[in-house]
Amino acid sequence: MTKDLKTAVTTALCLTAALPASGAVTFSLPSKVGTGGYAYAPLDPAPIGISFEFFAFPSYFINVTATQQCLANWKALTGVWPPIRIGGTTQDRAQYDAKTSAYVVYSVADAKDAPSVLTFGPKFMTLAGMYGGSVVVGLNRGKNNIDNTIAAAKVAVSEVKHLLAIELGNEPEYWVKDGQPITSGVNWTPATDAASQNNWNIRVGSAVDRTNIIQAGNWNDAPPKWGAAQLIATENATVKPHVRHYAHHNYPGGSIQSLMTHSTIAKNIHTFDADIAAARGVGKEYVFGETNSVSGGGAARVSPTFGAGLWTMDYALRATYNNMSRTYFHHGTVGNCQYCFWGRYSMGAPYYGAYAAVALMAGASHLTALDSGSTNYAAYATFDSRGLPLRVLLYNSDYFAGSGTRTAQSFTLTGLTSSMVRAKRLTAASATSRVDQASPPSFGGQQFDNGSCAISGTETFETTPASGGQATFSVKATEALLVYLQ
């Protein structure tokens, strides 16, 4: 069977195996960036990255074979290594020890536990410095030992070649509960945390002789109580030059269905509108410095599923569309991390969603959403350096759990300039499909091998004719389609 015939048969099977959900939804593709009344977000070269829990970072790069290849797969699409952030709860349990020859030193009763106390040495920063992409390094503020943190910051600046920023403290709103010394005898509020951040940002920035070096914020509780807008309002002319950008954490949670529903995703992202505007208003970027599906390492029945993978895709794209520069998906304890893209399971279904989002934005200069964010159906378009349409991603977030009839939604794109377009389909048997349960997704007919993250299978494009500048695509419930326009 020829490749073209095989593709045609595959496409026909996809169309006949599902019943139409409703009439086609139509999206008008703008001819160029800045036209059509859409909002356009400028794109970072690599808008999607990975956050590694502080104590686990060395293990991910030394002991987990898939790490380098999973990151390299994205580099192959974008031309640059994805950004990483090293931090999390254990960064505020970690003290720098200049004398240790180990990357990190700790003990736990069970390998699945995170340490309550740990130290790290210069080799930790040397390892971070070997990475080819940008690096955010999180350091301890909770212990209130600024001299120790400054010593670590100086090593970070000298050893981490692609150091983007230093983060001083992780989720400080929880420090009273955690018994962190910096809150002792203090009425710890957003205002006192802001004063602390400003002081530390100035002292650490001055000690390493760097401006534009601090990732500020780093809360998890939703704004406006804990957020960039309230922090920015407290900053004076001395602290502002040290801040590179502002970060927030976010773990939406919920069932698979609620998590992956497009309108719910859009609503969740809108929580950060005022914070993003405040950061942009002072000329700074805003990022999700740590995020994933469900807090605490994920939920076993939600986080490893294909539905969570589709959430990963749509969530990253909606965040980017709303002017978040980068989104760092958190990876926790190796071997005890339900939402990890790799490490807990040989491969996690969410990696597929992230890969599709990277593929949409790779090499693009701008992104827009063609939909309102109020329904189950999403459409995103990216544009090349000339401002011309590059790719479109269509997403049907109707929920399909694997039984009964799997409906399909027709998407019509207008404004096309070619007579034929190609597309790759992101699909799986159902929203509950999991790699570790022998039901992996596929993207364009390809998969990521367990253990190595190498791409396997024959790359498959579907072809759709366009007539009169428009084409119609069928996307099944719980599925996405990436359309290539060039």
Side-chain angles (χ1 to χ4, degrees), residues 117-339:
V117 177
L118 63 149
T119 59
F120 64 99
K123 282 182 65 176
F124 186 98
M125 297 302 177
T126 302
L127 181 63
M130 295 172 64
Y131 183 63
S134 72
V135 181
V136 174
V137 174
L139 297 176
N140 193 322
R141 181 161 59 97
K143 295 291 186 188
N144 204 24
N145 186 345
I146 195 166
D147 291 338
N148 185 266
T149 296
I150 286 174
K154 287 180 176 179
V155 179
V157 167
S158 66
E159 293 294 317
V160 184
K161 181 169 57 174
H162 301 296
L163 182 66
L164 184 70
I166 293 170
E167 169 188 312
L168 298 172
N170 176 82
E171 298 177 1
E173 68 271 39
Y174 303 138
W175 285 351
V176 173
K177 173 178 63 67
D178 295 341
Q180 287 288 5
I182 200 168
T183 67
S184 179
V186 177
N187 180 23
W188 194 252
T189 66
T192 50
D193 173 60
S196 171
Q197 287 210 36
N198 292 337
N199 178 47
W200 280 60
N201 293 348
I202 293 168
R203 291 185 62 183
V204 174
S206 298
V208 300
D209 195 24
R210 291 282 187 95
T211 57
N212 209 38
I213 190 63
I214 301 297
Q215 175 172 291
N218 312 302
W219 314 275
N220 186 55
D221 274 9
K225 182 178 180 180
W226 299 91
Q230 62 86 13
L231 177 61
I232 290 169
T234 71
E235 293 175 340
N236 62 26
T238 305
V239 68
K240 286 179 180 178
H242 291 293
V243 176
R244 190 194 187 280
H245 57 258
Y246 298 87
H248 211 97
H249 299 178
N250 191 38
Y251 290 87
S255 66
I256 300 173
Q257 183 172 4
S258 65
L259 188 70
M260 64 175 277
T261 297
H262 177 58
S263 58
T264 304
I265 292 169
K267 182 179 179 181
N268 177 248
I269 295 297
H270 281 309
T271 305
F272 303 91
D273 286 352
D275 262 17
I276 295 169
R280 294 289 180 178
V282 293
K284 305 290 186 179
E285 293 178 340
Y286 192 91
V287 306
F288 270 149
E290 179 188 315
T291 191
N292 219 308
S293 54
V294 185
S295 62
R301 295 185 178 181
V302 176
S303 300
T305 67
F306 180 59
L310 291 171
W311 167 81
T312 301
M313 174 196 73
D314 193 16
Y315 175 80
L317 295 177
R318 207 73 192 182
T320 305
Y321 168 64
N322 273 36
N323 282 307
M324 291 198 193
S325 296
R326 288 171 300 284
T327 299
Y328 297 84
F329 288 93
H330 198 52
H331 281 51
T333 307
V334 177
N336 189 25
C337 181
Q338 301 288 344
Y339 54 46

Side-chain angles (χ1 to χ4, degrees), residues 26-53:
T26 300
F27 297 107
S28 176
L29 181 68
S31 60
K32 199 166 187 179
V33 165
T35 66
Y38 296 105
Y40 295 85
L43 291 180
D44 188 90
I48 300 177
I50 300 294
S51 166
F52 294 101
E53 182 61 43

